[in-house]
Amino acid sequence: MKKILLLGAGRSASSLIQYLLQQAPSENWHITIGDINVDHLRNKLSQLGFAKAIVFNVHDEAQRAAEVSKVDLVISLLPAIFHIEVARECLKQEKHLITASYVSPEFRELHEEAKQKNLTILMESGLDPGIDHMSAMAAIQRVQGMGGHITSFKSYTGGLVAPESDNNPWNYKFSWNPRNVVLAGQGTAKYIKNGEYKYIPYHQLFKRTDELYVEGYGHFDGYANRDSLSYREHYGLQDIPTMLRGTLRRIGYCAAWDVFVQLGLTDDSYGLEGVESMTNRSYLEAFLPPAASTDETLQQRLCRYLGIAPEGEILEKLEWIGLFEETPIEMQAATPAQVLEKILVGKWKLEPGDKDMIVMQHLFEYELNGEQHELTSSLVVLGDDSVQTAMAKTVGLPVGILAKLLLQGKIDRRGVIIPIYPDLYEPVLEELKGYGVDFVEEEKVKAAH
């Protein structure tokens, strides 16, 4: 019997838990699920002889050591900052580890030790990063296998709201950690276009968007992610003239979000004074210059300060979230970003009947036999409900499939790795199709100039 310890039972874990429980009887697994709160799992697991839930505190060294020692594989869906503690424990106890998060510099330092101990630390195995790597590599290797030379690669992913649940002017609801949404894009975006390095500082990021089209779902805005350049090496595209990775939102979202960025409402670096007595309105007011005249409204002040059209969609979006209202914030201490998050969570929650949507699109350009080709590869996944979300499916299922492959002895790569190799991504992409996670490709030859 193989034993699995899954750490993290939050929103994004629902599909992974379902997958592991379905596979456990035939694969002869025993599964322990640990998190700070596991009450929602007790009933579900109490009838199963092969699974249990435990209250788990990642910072409790004794508990961490004890639980890791009992298993063959640890899967961590905890917040990314906690993975490193888990990873060090896995190395000490010589256990494999899978996570959905980015490989950080601290993780790179573990690579040699993991290899020496014959261990696999498999990361970036969820949606983005994860399915994006796997599907991109499948396309890249196919094009290169035909003798094609890739000249441009752009890849965008968005966690959005499904069309039937899209009922607010932002065309957006939270399907993952709201804090990450509020802090998205901070730092400088780096990419390469036509052989020239490009940099977009945070205060310009949401002004400089690309428009994309997905068949059946319409138009989207894409903004650049922080670092697109480091992926050239992963994908074997060191000399590519154009490479960009980005995030998708519905048209109009980025222009309105830019208001928060310009005002400083997404700043998480300091605490606000007097936040305990603030309302939404006084919070906004704290970031605006004085009125031009006694009869100038708060809306007019904002429009004048940022050059926004007083009658436009941006103001409509800001009014809809209640930014100008005297709603008490009811926080004892908070950064500007934390206040903004609280305001938005109240408005952008997935309601019980709501469904979310994942959209991913890869755009390739390549040369083959003297012709210029364009290849567009698009993925749309819809959630079943507010628990079995598209986000949970696309993060959890690839992690679960890779866990199965590892425990079946079909993954023999060791060290800190990501799923960019055919022996990893081919079986995952194939099995994902059975869950409706399947890319639609469209290819055309560009007319010669």
Side-chain angles (χ1 to χ4, degrees), residues 407-446:
L407 290 175
Q408 287 174 342
K410 291 178 182 168
I411 295 175
D412 53 13
R413 293 176 186 278
R414 299 296 182 247
V416 179
I417 59 168
I418 65 173
I420 52 174
Y421 309 101
D423 50 307
L424 297 184
Y425 65 70
E426 283 172 358
V428 175
L429 292 174
E430 192 52 45
E431 189 170 337
L432 283 173
K433 288 178 187 174
Y435 293 91
V437 181
D438 197 3
F439 284 78
V440 176
E441 293 196 345
E442 188 189 339
E443 185 151 0
K444 61 183 185 204
V445 179
K446 283 168 77 174

Coordinates of all heavy atoms in Angstrom, one line a residue, residues 407-446:
L407 N 3.8 7.4 -8.1 CA 3.6 6.2 -7.3 C 3.6 4.9 -8.1 O 3.9 3.8 -7.5 CB 2.4 6.3 -6.4 CG 2.4 7.4 -5.3 CD1 1.1 7.6 -4.6 CD2 3.5 7.1 -4.3
Q408 N 3.3 5.0 -9.3 CA 3.3 3.8 -10.2 C 4.8 3.5 -10.7 O 5.0 2.6 -11.4 CB 2.4 4.0 -11.4 CG 0.9 3.9 -11.1 CD 0.0 4.2 -12.3 OE1 0.5 4.8 -13.3 NE2 -1.2 3.8 -12.2
G409 N 5.7 4.4 -10.3 CA 7.1 4.2 -10.7 C 7.3 4.6 -12.2 O 8.4 4.3 -12.8
K410 N 6.4 5.4 -12.7 CA 6.6 5.9 -14.1 C 7.3 7.2 -14.3 O 7.5 7.6 -15.4 CB 5.2 5.9 -14.8 CG 4.6 4.6 -15.0 CD 3.2 4.7 -15.6 CE 2.6 3.3 -15.7 NZ 1.1 3.3 -16.0
I411 N 7.7 7.8 -13.2 CA 8.5 9.0 -13.2 C 9.8 8.7 -12.6 O 9.9 8.4 -11.4 CB 7.8 10.2 -12.5 CG1 6.5 10.6 -13.2 CG2 8.7 11.4 -12.4 CD1 5.7 11.7 -12.5
D412 N 10.9 8.7 -13.4 CA 12.2 8.4 -12.8 C 13.1 9.6 -12.8 O 14.3 9.5 -12.5 CB 12.8 7.2 -13.5 CG 12.9 7.4 -15.0 OD1 12.7 8.5 -15.5 OD2 13.2 6.4 -15.7
R413 N 12.6 10.8 -13.2 CA 13.4 12.0 -13.1 C 13.6 12.4 -11.6 O 12.6 12.4 -10.9 CB 12.8 13.1 -13.9 CG 12.8 12.9 -15.4 CD 12.1 13.9 -16.2 NE 12.0 13.5 -17.6 CZ 13.0 13.7 -18.5 NH1 14.1 14.3 -18.1 NH2 12.9 13.3 -19.7
R414 N 14.8 12.8 -11.2 CA 15.0 13.2 -9.8 C 15.5 14.6 -9.7 O 16.0 15.2 -10.6 CB 16.0 12.2 -9.2 CG 15.5 10.7 -9.2 CD 14.3 10.5 -8.3 NE 13.8 9.1 -8.3 CZ 12.7 8.7 -8.8 NH1 11.9 9.5 -9.5 NH2 12.3 7.4 -8.7
G415 N 15.4 15.1 -8.4 CA 15.7 16.5 -8.2 C 14.5 17.4 -8.3 O 13.3 16.9 -8.2
V416 N 14.7 18.7 -8.3 CA 13.6 19.6 -8.4 C 13.3 19.8 -9.9 O 14.1 20.3 -10.7 CB 13.9 21.0 -7.8 CG1 12.8 22.0 -8.0 CG2 14.3 20.8 -6.3
I417 N 12.1 19.3 -10.3 CA 11.7 19.3 -11.8 C 10.4 20.0 -12.0 O 9.5 20.0 -11.1 CB 11.8 17.9 -12.4 CG1 10.8 17.0 -11.6 CG2 13.2 17.3 -12.3 CD1 10.5 15.6 -12.3
I418 N 10.1 20.4 -13.3 CA 8.8 20.8 -13.7 C 8.4 20.0 -14.9 O 9.2 19.4 -15.6 CB 8.8 22.4 -14.0 CG1 9.7 22.7 -15.2 CG2 9.2 23.2 -12.7 CD1 9.5 24.2 -15.6
P419 N 7.1 19.9 -15.2 CA 6.6 18.9 -16.2 C 6.8 19.4 -17.6 O 5.8 19.6 -18.4 CB 5.1 18.8 -15.8 CG 4.7 20.0 -15.2 CD 5.9 20.6 -14.5
I420 N 8.0 19.6 -18.1 CA 8.3 20.0 -19.4 C 8.8 18.9 -20.3 O 9.3 19.1 -21.4 CB 9.3 21.2 -19.5 CG1 10.5 20.9 -18.7 CG2 8.6 22.5 -18.9 CD1 11.6 21.9 -18.7
Y421 N 8.8 17.7 -19.8 CA 9.3 16.5 -20.5 C 8.2 15.6 -21.0 O 7.2 15.4 -20.3 CB 10.2 15.7 -19.6 CG 11.3 16.5 -18.9 CD1 11.1 16.9 -17.6 CD2 12.4 17.0 -19.6 CE1 12.0 17.7 -17.0 CE2 13.3 17.8 -19.0 CZ 13.2 18.2 -17.7 OH 14.1 19.0 -17.1
P422 N 8.3 15.1 -22.2 CA 7.2 14.3 -22.8 C 6.7 13.1 -21.9 O 5.5 12.9 -21.8 CB 7.8 13.7 -24.1 CG 8.9 14.6 -24.5 CD 9.5 15.2 -23.2
D423 N 7.7 12.5 -21.2 CA 7.2 11.4 -20.3 C 6.4 11.9 -19.2 O 5.6 11.1 -18.5 CB 8.5 10.6 -19.8 CG 9.5 11.5 -19.2 OD1 9.9 12.5 -19.8 OD2 9.9 11.3 -18.0
L424 N 6.4 13.1 -18.9 CA 5.5 13.7 -17.8 C 4.3 14.3 -18.4 O 3.2 14.0 -18.0 CB 6.3 14.8 -17.1 CG 7.5 14.4 -16.3 CD1 8.1 15.6 -15.5 CD2 7.2 13.3 -15.3
Y425 N 4.4 15.1 -19.5 CA 3.2 15.8 -19.9 C 2.3 15.0 -20.8 O 1.1 15.2 -20.8 CB 3.5 17.2 -20.5 CG 4.3 17.2 -21.8 CD1 3.8 16.8 -23.0 CD2 5.7 17.7 -21.8 CE1 4.6 16.8 -24.2 CE2 6.4 17.7 -23.0 CZ 5.8 17.3 -24.2 OH 6.6 17.3 -25.3
E426 N 2.8 14.1 -21.6 CA 2.0 13.3 -22.5 C 0.9 12.6 -21.8 O -0.3 12.7 -22.2 CB 2.8 12.4 -23.5 CG 3.5 13.2 -24.6 CD 4.5 12.4 -25.4 OE1 4.7 11.2 -25.1 OE2 5.0 13.0 -26.4
P427 N 1.2 11.7 -20.8 CA 0.1 11.0 -20.1 C -0.9 11.9 -19.4 O -2.1 11.6 -19.3 CB 0.8 10.1 -19.1 CG 2.2 10.6 -19.0 CD 2.5 11.3 -20.3
V428 N -0.3 13.1 -18.9 CA -1.2 14.0 -18.1 C -2.2 14.7 -19.1 O -3.4 14.7 -18.9 CB -0.4 15.1 -17.4 CG1 -1.4 16.1 -16.8 CG2 0.5 14.5 -16.3
L429 N -1.7 15.2 -20.2 CA -2.6 15.8 -21.2 C -3.7 14.8 -21.7 O -4.8 15.2 -21.9 CB -1.8 16.4 -22.3 CG -0.9 17.6 -22.0 CD1 -0.1 18.1 -23.2 CD2 -1.8 18.8 -21.5
E430 N -3.2 13.6 -21.9 CA -4.1 12.6 -22.4 C -5.3 12.3 -21.4 O -6.4 12.2 -21.8 CB -3.4 11.3 -22.8 CG -4.1 10.2 -23.6 CD -4.7 10.8 -24.8 OE1 -4.1 11.6 -25.6 OE2 -5.9 10.5 -25.1
E431 N -4.9 12.1 -20.2 CA -5.9 11.8 -19.1 C -6.8 13.0 -18.9 O -8.0 12.8 -18.6 CB -5.3 11.3 -17.8 CG -6.3 10.8 -16.8 CD -5.7 10.0 -15.6 OE1 -4.5 9.6 -15.7 OE2 -6.4 10.0 -14.6
L432 N -6.3 14.2 -19.0 CA -7.1 15.4 -18.7 C -8.2 15.5 -19.8 O -9.3 16.1 -19.4 CB -6.2 16.7 -18.8 CG -5.3 17.0 -17.6 CD1 -4.4 18.1 -17.9 CD2 -6.2 17.3 -16.4
K433 N -8.0 15.0 -21.0 CA -9.1 15.1 -22.0 C -10.3 14.4 -21.5 O -11.5 14.9 -21.8 CB -8.6 14.4 -23.3 CG -7.6 15.2 -24.1 CD -7.1 14.5 -25.3 CE -6.0 15.2 -26.0 NZ -5.4 14.4 -27.1
G434 N -10.2 13.4 -20.7 CA -11.4 12.6 -20.2 C -12.2 13.5 -19.2 O -13.3 13.2 -18.9
Y435 N -11.5 14.5 -18.7 CA -12.2 15.4 -17.7 C -12.6 16.8 -18.4 O -12.9 17.7 -17.7 CB -11.3 15.7 -16.5 CG -11.0 14.5 -15.7 CD1 -9.9 13.7 -15.9 CD2 -11.9 14.2 -14.6 CE1 -9.7 12.6 -15.2 CE2 -11.6 13.1 -13.8 CZ -10.5 12.3 -14.1 OH -10.3 11.2 -13.3
G436 N -12.6 16.8 -19.7 CA -13.0 18.0 -20.5 C -12.0 19.1 -20.5 O -12.3 20.2 -20.8
V437 N -10.7 18.7 -20.2 CA -9.6 19.7 -20.2 C -8.9 19.4 -21.5 O -8.0 18.6 -21.5 CB -8.7 19.6 -19.0 CG1 -7.6 20.6 -19.0 CG2 -9.6 19.8 -17.7
D438 N -9.3 20.1 -22.6 CA -8.8 19.7 -23.9 C -8.6 21.0 -24.8 O -9.5 21.8 -24.8 CB -9.8 18.7 -24.6 CG -9.1 18.0 -25.8 OD1 -7.9 18.2 -26.0 OD2 -9.9 17.2 -26.4
F439 N -7.5 21.1 -25.4 CA -7.2 22.3 -26.2 C -7.8 22.2 -27.6 O -7.8 21.1 -28.2 CB -5.7 22.5 -26.3 CG -5.0 23.1 -25.0 CD1 -4.8 22.3 -23.9 CD2 -4.7 24.4 -25.0 CE1 -4.3 22.8 -22.8 CE2 -4.2 24.9 -23.8 CZ -4.0 24.1 -22.7
V440 N -8.2 23.3 -28.1 CA -8.7 23.4 -29.5 C -7.7 24.2 -30.3 O -7.3 25.3 -29.9 CB -10.1 24.1 -29.5 CG1 -10.5 24.3 -31.0 CG2 -11.1 23.4 -28.7
E441 N -7.2 23.6 -31.4 CA -6.1 24.2 -32.1 C -6.6 24.7 -33.5 O -7.5 24.1 -34.1 CB -5.0 23.2 -32.4 CG -4.3 22.9 -31.1 CD -2.9 22.2 -31.3 OE1 -2.6 21.8 -32.4 OE2 -2.1 22.1 -30.3
E442 N -6.1 25.9 -33.9 CA -6.4 26.4 -35.2 C -5.1 26.9 -35.8 O -4.3 27.5 -35.1 CB -7.3 27.6 -34.9 CG -7.9 28.2 -36.2 CD -8.6 29.6 -35.9 OE1 -9.0 29.8 -34.7 OE2 -8.7 30.4 -36.8
E443 N -4.9 26.5 -37.0 CA -3.6 26.8 -37.7 C -3.9 27.4 -39.0 O -4.8 27.1 -39.7 CB -2.8 25.5 -37.9 CG -1.4 25.8 -38.4 CD -0.4 24.7 -37.9 OE1 -0.8 23.8 -37.2 OE2 0.8 24.9 -38.3
K444 N -3.1 28.4 -39.3 CA -3.2 29.0 -40.7 C -1.8 29.5 -41.2 O -0.9 29.8 -40.4 CB -4.2 30.2 -40.7 CG -3.9 31.3 -39.8 CD -5.0 32.4 -39.9 CE -4.7 33.6 -39.1 NZ -5.8 34.3 -38.6
V445 N -1.7 29.5 -42.5 CA -0.4 29.9 -43.1 C -0.6 31.4 -43.4 O -1.6 31.8 -44.0 CB -0.1 29.2 -44.4 CG1 1.1 29.7 -45.1 CG2 0.0 27.7 -44.1
K446 N 0.3 32.2 -42.9 CA 0.2 33.7 -43.2 C 0.6 34.0 -44.7 O 1.5 33.4 -45.2 CB 1.2 34.4 -42.3 CG 0.7 34.6 -40.9 CD 1.8 35.0 -39.9 CE 2.1 36.5 -40.1 NZ 3.1 37.0 -39.0

